[in-house]
mmCIF file of all heavy atoms in Angstrom:
data_model
loop_
_atom_site.group_PDB
_atom_site.id
_atom_site.type_symbol
_atom_site.label_atom_id
_atom_site.label_comp_id
_atom_site.label_asym_id
_atom_site.label_seq_id
_atom_site.Cartn_x
_atom_site.Cartn_y
_atom_site.Cartn_z
ATOM 1 N N MET Q 1339 0.815 -1.202 0.000
ATOM 2 C CA MET Q 1339 0.000 0.000 0.000
ATOM 3 C C MET Q 1339 0.857 1.265 0.000
ATOM 4 O O MET Q 1339 0.344 2.342 0.169
ATOM 5 C CB MET Q 1339 -0.932 0.013 1.211
ATOM 6 C CG MET Q 1339 -2.065 -0.985 1.148
ATOM 7 S SD MET Q 1339 -3.118 -0.727 -0.271
ATOM 8 C CE MET Q 1339 -4.263 0.448 0.377
ATOM 9 N N GLU Q 1340 2.145 1.156 -0.208
ATOM 10 C CA GLU Q 1340 2.963 2.357 -0.170
ATOM 11 C C GLU Q 1340 2.842 3.191 -1.439
ATOM 12 O O GLU Q 1340 3.279 4.331 -1.471
ATOM 13 C CB GLU Q 1340 4.426 2.007 0.091
ATOM 14 C CG GLU Q 1340 4.991 0.948 -0.857
ATOM 15 C CD GLU Q 1340 6.354 0.487 -0.422
ATOM 16 O OE1 GLU Q 1340 6.424 -0.263 0.580
ATOM 17 O OE2 GLU Q 1340 7.317 0.900 -1.077
ATOM 18 N N HIS Q 1341 2.225 2.650 -2.498
ATOM 19 C CA HIS Q 1341 2.051 3.392 -3.747
ATOM 20 C C HIS Q 1341 0.617 3.877 -3.939
ATOM 21 O O HIS Q 1341 0.263 4.313 -5.030
ATOM 22 C CB HIS Q 1341 2.448 2.524 -4.936
ATOM 23 C CG HIS Q 1341 3.860 2.059 -4.892
ATOM 24 N ND1 HIS Q 1341 4.920 2.915 -4.801
ATOM 25 C CD2 HIS Q 1341 4.379 0.805 -4.936
ATOM 26 C CE1 HIS Q 1341 6.038 2.225 -4.781
ATOM 27 N NE2 HIS Q 1341 5.732 0.936 -4.857
ATOM 28 N N ALA Q 1342 -0.184 3.820 -2.913
ATOM 29 C CA ALA Q 1342 -1.607 4.180 -3.034
ATOM 30 C C ALA Q 1342 -1.777 5.634 -3.486
ATOM 31 O O ALA Q 1342 -2.648 5.931 -4.317
ATOM 32 C CB ALA Q 1342 -2.329 3.949 -1.724
ATOM 33 N N GLY Q 1343 -0.978 6.536 -2.974
ATOM 34 C CA GLY Q 1343 -1.093 7.943 -3.368
ATOM 35 C C GLY Q 1343 -0.806 8.136 -4.839
ATOM 36 O O GLY Q 1343 -1.514 8.885 -5.541
ATOM 37 N N PHE Q 1344 0.234 7.473 -5.332
ATOM 38 C CA PHE Q 1344 0.578 7.567 -6.751
ATOM 39 C C PHE Q 1344 -0.543 6.994 -7.619
ATOM 40 O O PHE Q 1344 -0.908 7.572 -8.649
ATOM 41 C CB PHE Q 1344 1.880 6.820 -7.024
ATOM 42 C CG PHE Q 1344 2.230 6.751 -8.476
ATOM 43 C CD1 PHE Q 1344 2.748 7.855 -9.139
ATOM 44 C CD2 PHE Q 1344 2.023 5.583 -9.194
ATOM 45 C CE1 PHE Q 1344 3.063 7.798 -10.488
ATOM 46 C CE2 PHE Q 1344 2.333 5.516 -10.541
ATOM 47 C CZ PHE Q 1344 2.855 6.626 -11.189
ATOM 48 N N ILE Q 1345 -1.086 5.865 -7.204
ATOM 49 C CA ILE Q 1345 -2.157 5.225 -7.980
ATOM 50 C C ILE Q 1345 -3.391 6.110 -8.007
ATOM 51 O O ILE Q 1345 -4.005 6.323 -9.069
ATOM 52 C CB ILE Q 1345 -2.466 3.827 -7.403
ATOM 53 C CG1 ILE Q 1345 -1.274 2.901 -7.634
ATOM 54 C CG2 ILE Q 1345 -3.734 3.252 -8.030
ATOM 55 C CD1 ILE Q 1345 -1.359 1.583 -6.890
ATOM 56 N N LEU Q 1346 -3.774 6.670 -6.863
ATOM 57 C CA LEU Q 1346 -4.944 7.546 -6.814
ATOM 58 C C LEU Q 1346 -4.722 8.816 -7.638
ATOM 59 O O LEU Q 1346 -5.628 9.280 -8.337
ATOM 60 C CB LEU Q 1346 -5.293 7.893 -5.366
ATOM 61 C CG LEU Q 1346 -5.843 6.732 -4.533
ATOM 62 C CD1 LEU Q 1346 -6.044 7.173 -3.091
ATOM 63 C CD2 LEU Q 1346 -7.147 6.219 -5.125
ATOM 64 N N ALA Q 1347 -3.531 9.376 -7.578
ATOM 65 C CA ALA Q 1347 -3.223 10.555 -8.379
ATOM 66 C C ALA Q 1347 -3.278 10.230 -9.870
ATOM 67 O O ALA Q 1347 -3.769 11.034 -10.677
ATOM 68 C CB ALA Q 1347 -1.854 11.098 -7.999
ATOM 69 N N SER Q 1348 -2.816 9.064 -10.251
ATOM 70 C CA SER Q 1348 -2.857 8.644 -11.656
ATOM 71 C C SER Q 1348 -4.301 8.499 -12.142
ATOM 72 O O SER Q 1348 -4.638 8.951 -13.244
ATOM 73 C CB SER Q 1348 -2.126 7.321 -11.844
ATOM 74 O OG SER Q 1348 -0.766 7.470 -11.536
ATOM 75 N N PHE Q 1349 -5.134 7.878 -11.315
ATOM 76 C CA PHE Q 1349 -6.540 7.742 -11.680
ATOM 77 C C PHE Q 1349 -7.205 9.108 -11.765
ATOM 78 O O PHE Q 1349 -8.007 9.377 -12.680
ATOM 79 C CB PHE Q 1349 -7.291 6.857 -10.682
ATOM 80 C CG PHE Q 1349 -7.196 5.397 -10.987
ATOM 81 C CD1 PHE Q 1349 -6.420 4.559 -10.203
ATOM 82 C CD2 PHE Q 1349 -7.890 4.837 -12.049
ATOM 83 C CE1 PHE Q 1349 -6.326 3.201 -10.477
ATOM 84 C CE2 PHE Q 1349 -7.808 3.483 -12.335
ATOM 85 C CZ PHE Q 1349 -7.020 2.657 -11.546
ATOM 86 N N GLY Q 1350 -6.902 9.993 -10.847
ATOM 87 C CA GLY Q 1350 -7.480 11.335 -10.861
ATOM 88 C C GLY Q 1350 -7.082 12.110 -12.101
ATOM 89 O O GLY Q 1350 -7.915 12.758 -12.748
ATOM 90 N N LEU Q 1351 -5.804 12.050 -12.444
ATOM 91 C CA LEU Q 1351 -5.321 12.749 -13.630
ATOM 92 C C LEU Q 1351 -5.942 12.164 -14.900
ATOM 93 O O LEU Q 1351 -6.349 12.902 -15.803
ATOM 94 C CB LEU Q 1351 -3.794 12.666 -13.705
ATOM 95 C CG LEU Q 1351 -3.147 13.390 -14.880
ATOM 96 C CD1 LEU Q 1351 -3.449 14.885 -14.823
ATOM 97 C CD2 LEU Q 1351 -1.652 13.149 -14.872
ATOM 98 N N THR Q 1352 -6.049 10.849 -14.955
ATOM 99 C CA THR Q 1352 -6.671 10.196 -16.108
ATOM 100 C C THR Q 1352 -8.123 10.628 -16.250
ATOM 101 O O THR Q 1352 -8.597 10.926 -17.349
ATOM 102 C CB THR Q 1352 -6.580 8.664 -15.979
ATOM 103 O OG1 THR Q 1352 -5.201 8.299 -15.891
ATOM 104 C CG2 THR Q 1352 -7.228 7.967 -17.156
ATOM 105 N N PHE Q 1353 -8.831 10.677 -15.130
ATOM 106 C CA PHE Q 1353 -10.226 11.116 -15.144
ATOM 107 C C PHE Q 1353 -10.326 12.545 -15.685
ATOM 108 O O PHE Q 1353 -11.183 12.842 -16.514
ATOM 109 C CB PHE Q 1353 -10.831 11.036 -13.738
ATOM 110 C CG PHE Q 1353 -12.215 11.600 -13.665
ATOM 111 C CD1 PHE Q 1353 -13.296 10.881 -14.129
ATOM 112 C CD2 PHE Q 1353 -12.426 12.868 -13.143
ATOM 113 C CE1 PHE Q 1353 -14.575 11.406 -14.078
ATOM 114 C CE2 PHE Q 1353 -13.692 13.408 -13.089
ATOM 115 C CZ PHE Q 1353 -14.774 12.680 -13.562
ATOM 116 N N LEU Q 1354 -9.452 13.433 -15.232
ATOM 117 C CA LEU Q 1354 -9.483 14.827 -15.681
ATOM 118 C C LEU Q 1354 -9.190 14.942 -17.182
ATOM 119 O O LEU Q 1354 -9.839 15.714 -17.892
ATOM 120 C CB LEU Q 1354 -8.488 15.660 -14.885
ATOM 121 C CG LEU Q 1354 -8.857 15.929 -13.427
ATOM 122 C CD1 LEU Q 1354 -7.723 16.670 -12.735
ATOM 123 C CD2 LEU Q 1354 -10.148 16.714 -13.339
ATOM 124 N N VAL Q 1355 -8.239 14.167 -17.662
ATOM 125 C CA VAL Q 1355 -7.901 14.204 -19.094
ATOM 126 C C VAL Q 1355 -9.069 13.684 -19.929
ATOM 127 O O VAL Q 1355 -9.453 14.301 -20.932
ATOM 128 C CB VAL Q 1355 -6.608 13.404 -19.377
ATOM 129 C CG1 VAL Q 1355 -6.398 13.213 -20.870
ATOM 130 C CG2 VAL Q 1355 -5.412 14.103 -18.754
ATOM 131 N N VAL Q 1356 -9.652 12.573 -19.529
ATOM 132 C CA VAL Q 1356 -10.786 12.010 -20.281
ATOM 133 C C VAL Q 1356 -11.972 12.970 -20.240
ATOM 134 O O VAL Q 1356 -12.643 13.191 -21.262
ATOM 135 C CB VAL Q 1356 -11.159 10.611 -19.745
ATOM 136 C CG1 VAL Q 1356 -12.465 10.126 -20.340
ATOM 137 C CG2 VAL Q 1356 -10.042 9.625 -20.040
ATOM 138 N N ALA Q 1357 -12.249 13.568 -19.091
ATOM 139 C CA ALA Q 1357 -13.344 14.536 -18.984
ATOM 140 C C ALA Q 1357 -13.078 15.741 -19.880
ATOM 141 O O ALA Q 1357 -13.997 16.267 -20.528
ATOM 142 C CB ALA Q 1357 -13.527 14.974 -17.535
ATOM 143 N N GLY Q 1358 -11.832 16.195 -19.950
ATOM 144 C CA GLY Q 1358 -11.488 17.314 -20.820
ATOM 145 C C GLY Q 1358 -11.674 16.983 -22.287
ATOM 146 O O GLY Q 1358 -12.178 17.805 -23.061
ATOM 147 N N VAL Q 1359 -11.286 15.794 -22.690
ATOM 148 C CA VAL Q 1359 -11.461 15.371 -24.086
ATOM 149 C C VAL Q 1359 -12.949 15.290 -24.427
ATOM 150 O O VAL Q 1359 -13.384 15.754 -25.484
ATOM 151 C CB VAL Q 1359 -10.747 14.026 -24.344
ATOM 152 C CG1 VAL Q 1359 -11.147 13.447 -25.688
ATOM 153 C CG2 VAL Q 1359 -9.247 14.198 -24.259
ATOM 154 N N LEU Q 1360 -13.739 14.709 -23.534
ATOM 155 C CA LEU Q 1360 -15.181 14.614 -23.772
ATOM 156 C C LEU Q 1360 -15.820 15.995 -23.847
ATOM 157 O O LEU Q 1360 -16.670 16.249 -24.714
ATOM 158 C CB LEU Q 1360 -15.855 13.775 -22.690
ATOM 159 C CG LEU Q 1360 -15.563 12.284 -22.743
ATOM 160 C CD1 LEU Q 1360 -16.183 11.572 -21.546
ATOM 161 C CD2 LEU Q 1360 -16.079 11.687 -24.034
ATOM 162 N N ALA Q 1361 -15.429 16.899 -22.961
ATOM 163 C CA ALA Q 1361 -15.966 18.258 -22.991
ATOM 164 C C ALA Q 1361 -15.596 18.938 -24.308
ATOM 165 O O ALA Q 1361 -16.429 19.634 -24.907
ATOM 166 C CB ALA Q 1361 -15.446 19.058 -21.802
ATOM 167 N N SER Q 1362 -14.385 18.747 -24.770
ATOM 168 C CA SER Q 1362 -13.943 19.329 -26.039
ATOM 169 C C SER Q 1362 -14.775 18.791 -27.200
ATOM 170 O O SER Q 1362 -15.178 19.549 -28.094
ATOM 171 C CB SER Q 1362 -12.469 19.006 -26.247
ATOM 172 O OG SER Q 1362 -12.060 19.382 -27.522
ATOM 173 N N ILE Q 1363 -15.061 17.512 -27.191
ATOM 174 C CA ILE Q 1363 -15.866 16.899 -28.251
ATOM 175 C C ILE Q 1363 -17.281 17.463 -28.240
ATOM 176 O O ILE Q 1363 -17.836 17.805 -29.292
ATOM 177 C CB ILE Q 1363 -15.876 15.361 -28.100
ATOM 178 C CG1 ILE Q 1363 -14.499 14.803 -28.431
ATOM 179 C CG2 ILE Q 1363 -16.956 14.729 -28.978
ATOM 180 C CD1 ILE Q 1363 -14.326 13.335 -28.080
ATOM 181 N N VAL Q 1364 -17.878 17.587 -27.064
ATOM 182 C CA VAL Q 1364 -19.244 18.112 -26.956
ATOM 183 C C VAL Q 1364 -19.301 19.563 -27.425
ATOM 184 O O VAL Q 1364 -20.202 19.947 -28.179
ATOM 185 C CB VAL Q 1364 -19.767 17.973 -25.506
ATOM 186 C CG1 VAL Q 1364 -21.057 18.753 -25.298
ATOM 187 C CG2 VAL Q 1364 -19.983 16.508 -25.165
ATOM 188 N N ILE Q 1365 -18.343 20.367 -27.012
ATOM 189 C CA ILE Q 1365 -18.314 21.776 -27.414
ATOM 190 C C ILE Q 1365 -18.149 21.895 -28.929
ATOM 191 O O ILE Q 1365 -18.844 22.681 -29.584
ATOM 192 C CB ILE Q 1365 -17.199 22.523 -26.658
ATOM 193 C CG1 ILE Q 1365 -17.570 22.646 -25.184
ATOM 194 C CG2 ILE Q 1365 -16.933 23.886 -27.270
ATOM 195 C CD1 ILE Q 1365 -16.422 23.089 -24.293
ATOM 196 N N ASP Q 1366 -17.253 21.105 -29.506
ATOM 197 C CA ASP Q 1366 -17.032 21.135 -30.944
ATOM 198 C C ASP Q 1366 -18.275 20.677 -31.702
ATOM 199 O O ASP Q 1366 -18.647 21.258 -32.715
ATOM 200 C CB ASP Q 1366 -15.828 20.265 -31.309
ATOM 201 C CG ASP Q 1366 -15.449 20.407 -32.767
ATOM 202 O OD1 ASP Q 1366 -15.343 21.554 -33.240
ATOM 203 O OD2 ASP Q 1366 -15.245 19.362 -33.422
ATOM 204 N N HIS Q 1367 -18.937 19.638 -31.198
ATOM 205 C CA HIS Q 1367 -20.147 19.123 -31.840
ATOM 206 C C HIS Q 1367 -21.237 20.191 -31.866
ATOM 207 O O HIS Q 1367 -21.899 20.396 -32.888
ATOM 208 C CB HIS Q 1367 -20.632 17.872 -31.096
ATOM 209 C CG HIS Q 1367 -21.866 17.281 -31.679
ATOM 210 N ND1 HIS Q 1367 -23.108 17.479 -31.129
ATOM 211 C CD2 HIS Q 1367 -22.057 16.495 -32.769
ATOM 212 C CE1 HIS Q 1367 -24.012 16.840 -31.856
ATOM 213 N NE2 HIS Q 1367 -23.389 16.239 -32.853
ATOM 214 N N ARG Q 1368 -21.413 20.897 -30.759
ATOM 215 C CA ARG Q 1368 -22.423 21.949 -30.715
ATOM 216 C C ARG Q 1368 -22.094 23.079 -31.684
ATOM 217 O O ARG Q 1368 -22.980 23.613 -32.352
ATOM 218 C CB ARG Q 1368 -22.556 22.485 -29.293
ATOM 219 C CG ARG Q 1368 -23.226 21.502 -28.359
ATOM 220 C CD ARG Q 1368 -23.324 22.056 -26.971
ATOM 221 N NE ARG Q 1368 -23.958 21.078 -26.085
ATOM 222 C CZ ARG Q 1368 -24.053 21.228 -24.790
ATOM 223 N NH1 ARG Q 1368 -23.565 22.309 -24.198
ATOM 224 N NH2 ARG Q 1368 -24.648 20.304 -24.055
ATOM 225 N N ALA Q 1369 -20.832 23.444 -31.754
ATOM 226 C CA ALA Q 1369 -20.421 24.507 -32.672
ATOM 227 C C ALA Q 1369 -20.651 24.088 -34.124
ATOM 228 O O ALA Q 1369 -21.118 24.894 -34.947
ATOM 229 C CB ALA Q 1369 -18.955 24.858 -32.441
ATOM 230 N N LEU Q 1370 -20.332 22.850 -34.457
ATOM 231 C CA LEU Q 1370 -20.542 22.366 -35.824
ATOM 232 C C LEU Q 1370 -22.021 22.312 -36.174
ATOM 233 O O LEU Q 1370 -22.410 22.641 -37.301
ATOM 234 C CB LEU Q 1370 -19.913 20.986 -35.998
ATOM 235 C CG LEU Q 1370 -18.393 20.967 -36.067
ATOM 236 C CD1 LEU Q 1370 -17.883 19.533 -36.068
ATOM 237 C CD2 LEU Q 1370 -17.892 21.711 -37.282
ATOM 238 N N LYS Q 1371 -22.866 21.904 -35.233
ATOM 239 C CA LYS Q 1371 -24.313 21.883 -35.489
ATOM 240 C C LYS Q 1371 -24.840 23.286 -35.745
ATOM 241 O O LYS Q 1371 -25.656 23.495 -36.646
ATOM 242 C CB LYS Q 1371 -25.053 21.252 -34.311
ATOM 243 C CG LYS Q 1371 -25.044 19.741 -34.336
ATOM 244 C CD LYS Q 1371 -25.753 19.137 -33.154
ATOM 245 C CE LYS Q 1371 -27.190 19.541 -33.080
ATOM 246 N NZ LYS Q 1371 -27.916 18.860 -32.004
ATOM 247 N N ARG Q 1372 -24.366 24.265 -34.960
ATOM 248 C CA ARG Q 1372 -24.782 25.652 -35.164
ATOM 249 C C ARG Q 1372 -24.346 26.147 -36.551
ATOM 250 O O ARG Q 1372 -25.120 26.784 -37.263
ATOM 251 C CB ARG Q 1372 -24.173 26.560 -34.095
ATOM 252 C CG ARG Q 1372 -25.030 26.774 -32.891
ATOM 253 C CD ARG Q 1372 -24.520 27.935 -32.047
ATOM 254 N NE ARG Q 1372 -23.093 27.873 -31.770
ATOM 255 C CZ ARG Q 1372 -22.547 27.242 -30.758
ATOM 256 N NH1 ARG Q 1372 -23.297 26.590 -29.899
ATOM 257 N NH2 ARG Q 1372 -21.237 27.255 -30.580
ATOM 258 N N GLU Q 1373 -23.123 25.837 -36.921
ATOM 259 C CA GLU Q 1373 -22.606 26.283 -38.209
ATOM 260 C C GLU Q 1373 -23.363 25.624 -39.363
ATOM 261 O O GLU Q 1373 -23.698 26.283 -40.344
ATOM 262 C CB GLU Q 1373 -21.115 25.968 -38.306
ATOM 263 C CG GLU Q 1373 -20.437 26.529 -39.522
ATOM 264 C CD GLU Q 1373 -20.344 28.050 -39.521
ATOM 265 O OE1 GLU Q 1373 -20.511 28.674 -38.457
ATOM 266 O OE2 GLU Q 1373 -20.120 28.612 -40.605
ATOM 267 N N LEU Q 1374 -23.647 24.340 -39.252
ATOM 268 C CA LEU Q 1374 -24.409 23.659 -40.304
ATOM 269 C C LEU Q 1374 -25.821 24.209 -40.409
ATOM 270 O O LEU Q 1374 -26.363 24.357 -41.508
ATOM 271 C CB LEU Q 1374 -24.444 22.151 -40.045
ATOM 272 C CG LEU Q 1374 -23.169 21.405 -40.384
ATOM 273 C CD1 LEU Q 1374 -23.272 19.959 -39.912
ATOM 274 C CD2 LEU Q 1374 -22.885 21.456 -41.863
ATOM 275 N N ALA Q 1375 -26.435 24.500 -39.279
ATOM 276 C CA ALA Q 1375 -27.781 25.071 -39.296
ATOM 277 C C ALA Q 1375 -27.763 26.447 -39.952
ATOM 278 O O ALA Q 1375 -28.697 26.822 -40.665
ATOM 279 C CB ALA Q 1375 -28.325 25.168 -37.876
ATOM 280 N N ARG Q 1376 -26.705 27.205 -39.732
ATOM 281 C CA ARG Q 1376 -26.590 28.533 -40.339
ATOM 282 C C ARG Q 1376 -26.367 28.421 -41.846
ATOM 283 O O ARG Q 1376 -26.889 29.223 -42.624
ATOM 284 C CB ARG Q 1376 -25.428 29.290 -39.709
ATOM 285 C CG ARG Q 1376 -25.294 30.721 -40.176
ATOM 286 C CD ARG Q 1376 -24.108 31.402 -39.564
ATOM 287 N NE ARG Q 1376 -22.836 30.912 -40.095
ATOM 288 C CZ ARG Q 1376 -22.294 31.298 -41.236
ATOM 289 N NH1 ARG Q 1376 -22.907 32.174 -41.986
ATOM 290 N NH2 ARG Q 1376 -21.139 30.807 -41.643
ATOM 291 N N LEU Q 1377 -25.629 27.435 -42.295
ATOM 292 C CA LEU Q 1377 -25.292 27.305 -43.705
ATOM 293 C C LEU Q 1377 -26.377 26.651 -44.552
ATOM 294 O O LEU Q 1377 -26.444 26.876 -45.750
ATOM 295 C CB LEU Q 1377 -23.993 26.500 -43.858
ATOM 296 C CG LEU Q 1377 -22.739 27.193 -43.368
ATOM 297 C CD1 LEU Q 1377 -21.558 26.242 -43.459
ATOM 298 C CD2 LEU Q 1377 -22.475 28.459 -44.152
ATOM 299 N N SER Q 1378 -27.201 25.811 -43.963
ATOM 300 C CA SER Q 1378 -28.221 25.128 -44.758
ATOM 301 C C SER Q 1378 -29.605 25.436 -44.206
ATOM 302 O O SER Q 1378 -30.011 24.899 -43.190
ATOM 303 C CB SER Q 1378 -27.984 23.615 -44.760
ATOM 304 O OG SER Q 1378 -28.132 23.091 -43.477
ATOM 305 N N PRO Q 1379 -30.340 26.313 -44.898
ATOM 306 C CA PRO Q 1379 -31.699 26.632 -44.457
ATOM 307 C C PRO Q 1379 -32.598 25.398 -44.509
ATOM 308 O O PRO Q 1379 -32.313 24.433 -45.219
ATOM 309 C CB PRO Q 1379 -32.169 27.679 -45.462
ATOM 310 C CG PRO Q 1379 -30.956 28.159 -46.144
ATOM 311 C CD PRO Q 1379 -29.935 27.072 -46.041
ATOM 312 N N VAL Q 1380 -33.698 25.454 -43.802
ATOM 313 C CA VAL Q 1380 -34.596 24.300 -43.676
ATOM 314 C C VAL Q 1380 -35.264 23.957 -45.005
ATOM 315 O O VAL Q 1380 -35.467 22.798 -45.325
ATOM 316 C CB VAL Q 1380 -35.671 24.579 -42.599
ATOM 317 C CG1 VAL Q 1380 -36.657 23.435 -42.498
ATOM 318 C CG2 VAL Q 1380 -35.015 24.844 -41.264
ATOM 319 N N ASP Q 1381 -35.591 24.952 -45.823
ATOM 320 C CA ASP Q 1381 -36.373 24.724 -47.041
ATOM 321 C C ASP Q 1381 -35.516 24.422 -48.266
ATOM 322 O O ASP Q 1381 -35.874 24.782 -49.373
ATOM 323 C CB ASP Q 1381 -37.248 25.948 -47.321
ATOM 324 C CG ASP Q 1381 -38.300 26.136 -46.259
ATOM 325 O OD1 ASP Q 1381 -38.712 25.124 -45.666
ATOM 326 O OD2 ASP Q 1381 -38.693 27.294 -46.011
ATOM 327 N N THR Q 1382 -34.425 23.749 -48.121
ATOM 328 C CA THR Q 1382 -33.579 23.441 -49.274
ATOM 329 C C THR Q 1382 -33.792 22.028 -49.797
ATOM 330 O O THR Q 1382 -33.039 21.572 -50.634
ATOM 331 C CB THR Q 1382 -32.095 23.621 -48.922
ATOM 332 O OG1 THR Q 1382 -31.776 22.766 -47.835
ATOM 333 C CG2 THR Q 1382 -31.781 25.052 -48.596
ATOM 334 N N ARG Q 1383 -34.805 21.352 -49.321
ATOM 335 C CA ARG Q 1383 -35.061 20.000 -49.820
ATOM 336 C C ARG Q 1383 -35.556 20.049 -51.257
ATOM 337 O O ARG Q 1383 -36.361 20.888 -51.628
ATOM 338 C CB ARG Q 1383 -36.093 19.300 -48.945
ATOM 339 C CG ARG Q 1383 -35.536 18.936 -47.583
ATOM 340 C CD ARG Q 1383 -36.598 18.367 -46.743
ATOM 341 N NE ARG Q 1383 -37.327 19.521 -46.190
ATOM 342 C CZ ARG Q 1383 -38.346 19.441 -45.373
ATOM 343 N NH1 ARG Q 1383 -38.798 18.286 -45.001
ATOM 344 N NH2 ARG Q 1383 -38.924 20.519 -44.919
ATOM 345 N N VAL Q 1384 -35.095 19.145 -52.051
ATOM 346 C CA VAL Q 1384 -35.481 19.084 -53.458
ATOM 347 C C VAL Q 1384 -36.432 17.917 -53.630
ATOM 348 O O VAL Q 1384 -36.123 16.790 -53.245
ATOM 349 C CB VAL Q 1384 -34.241 18.903 -54.363
ATOM 350 C CG1 VAL Q 1384 -34.661 18.753 -55.817
ATOM 351 C CG2 VAL Q 1384 -33.284 20.053 -54.174
ATOM 352 N N SER Q 1385 -37.597 18.198 -54.193
ATOM 353 C CA SER Q 1385 -38.538 17.113 -54.424
ATOM 354 C C SER Q 1385 -38.116 16.330 -55.669
ATOM 355 O O SER Q 1385 -37.462 16.871 -56.558
ATOM 356 C CB SER Q 1385 -39.957 17.656 -54.579
ATOM 357 O OG SER Q 1385 -40.063 18.346 -55.799
ATOM 358 N N PRO Q 1386 -38.526 15.088 -55.778
ATOM 359 C CA PRO Q 1386 -38.129 14.276 -56.943
ATOM 360 C C PRO Q 1386 -38.658 14.825 -58.265
ATOM 361 O O PRO Q 1386 -38.125 14.538 -59.329
ATOM 362 C CB PRO Q 1386 -38.725 12.913 -56.662
ATOM 363 C CG PRO Q 1386 -39.061 12.893 -55.222
ATOM 364 C CD PRO Q 1386 -39.232 14.319 -54.805
ATOM 365 N N ASP Q 1387 -39.749 15.634 -58.236
ATOM 366 C CA ASP Q 1387 -40.337 16.165 -59.454
ATOM 367 C C ASP Q 1387 -39.532 17.312 -60.042
ATOM 368 O O ASP Q 1387 -39.611 17.576 -61.236
ATOM 369 C CB ASP Q 1387 -41.761 16.678 -59.180
ATOM 370 C CG ASP Q 1387 -42.648 15.542 -58.669
ATOM 371 O OD1 ASP Q 1387 -42.306 14.372 -58.911
ATOM 372 O OD2 ASP Q 1387 -43.671 15.845 -58.035
ATOM 373 N N GLN Q 1388 -38.757 18.016 -59.241
ATOM 374 C CA GLN Q 1388 -38.014 19.165 -59.712
ATOM 375 C C GLN Q 1388 -36.714 18.719 -60.389
ATOM 376 O O GLN Q 1388 -36.031 17.815 -59.904
ATOM 377 C CB GLN Q 1388 -37.669 20.100 -58.560
ATOM 378 C CG GLN Q 1388 -38.863 20.738 -57.909
ATOM 379 C CD GLN Q 1388 -38.458 21.582 -56.707
ATOM 380 O OE1 GLN Q 1388 -37.333 21.477 -56.231
ATOM 381 N NE2 GLN Q 1388 -39.385 22.402 -56.236
ATOM 382 N N PRO Q 1389 -36.394 19.354 -61.521
ATOM 383 C CA PRO Q 1389 -35.111 19.021 -62.165
ATOM 384 C C PRO Q 1389 -33.955 19.570 -61.345
ATOM 385 O O PRO Q 1389 -34.063 20.588 -60.695
ATOM 386 C CB PRO Q 1389 -35.199 19.735 -63.520
ATOM 387 C CG PRO Q 1389 -36.202 20.813 -63.316
ATOM 388 C CD PRO Q 1389 -37.163 20.329 -62.255
ATOM 389 N N ARG Q 1390 -32.857 18.858 -61.392
ATOM 390 C CA ARG Q 1390 -31.669 19.291 -60.672
ATOM 391 C C ARG Q 1390 -30.938 20.330 -61.508
ATOM 392 O O ARG Q 1390 -30.882 20.250 -62.723
ATOM 393 C CB ARG Q 1390 -30.741 18.114 -60.396
ATOM 394 C CG ARG Q 1390 -31.369 17.133 -59.445
ATOM 395 C CD ARG Q 1390 -30.401 16.039 -59.123
ATOM 396 N NE ARG Q 1390 -31.064 15.074 -58.262
ATOM 397 C CZ ARG Q 1390 -30.515 13.961 -57.861
ATOM 398 N NH1 ARG Q 1390 -29.305 13.653 -58.260
ATOM 399 N NH2 ARG Q 1390 -31.172 13.121 -57.101
ATOM 400 N N SER Q 1391 -30.361 21.309 -60.830
ATOM 401 C CA SER Q 1391 -29.627 22.341 -61.565
ATOM 402 C C SER Q 1391 -28.143 22.120 -61.500
ATOM 403 O O SER Q 1391 -27.627 21.346 -60.797
ATOM 404 C CB SER Q 1391 -29.961 23.708 -61.023
ATOM 405 O OG SER Q 1391 -29.777 23.746 -59.628
#
């Protein structure tokens, strides 16, 4: 049990790194969704009857 502090610190640091990566992914995903929503309006669907340009 003489390495318990090192082991707990390692687990804590790993948890913080993984939480940071997940937070970064969530933030990036939200930003990309906002940007895609801004770039593609809702009414851009093309019906099969309309010719493609």
Side-chain angles (χ1 to χ4, degrees):
M1339 289 301 272
E1340 52 189 74
H1341 300 304
F1344 174 76
I1345 293 169
L1346 291 175
S1348 296
F1349 274 108
L1351 182 61
T1352 301
F1353 174 77
L1354 289 175
V1355 169
V1356 170
V1359 169
L1360 289 175
S1362 172
I1363 290 170
V1364 169
I1365 290 167
D1366 187 48
H1367 180 259
R1368 288 179 181 173
L1370 287 173
K1371 278 179 60 175
R1372 267 194 311 272
E1373 187 68 17
L1374 283 173
R1376 185 182 71 81
L1377 291 175
S1378 65
V1380 177
D1381 294 331
T1382 59
R1383 289 175 278 181
V1384 176
S1385 70
D1387 300 339
Q1388 295 176 346
R1390 294 184 183 176
S1391 52

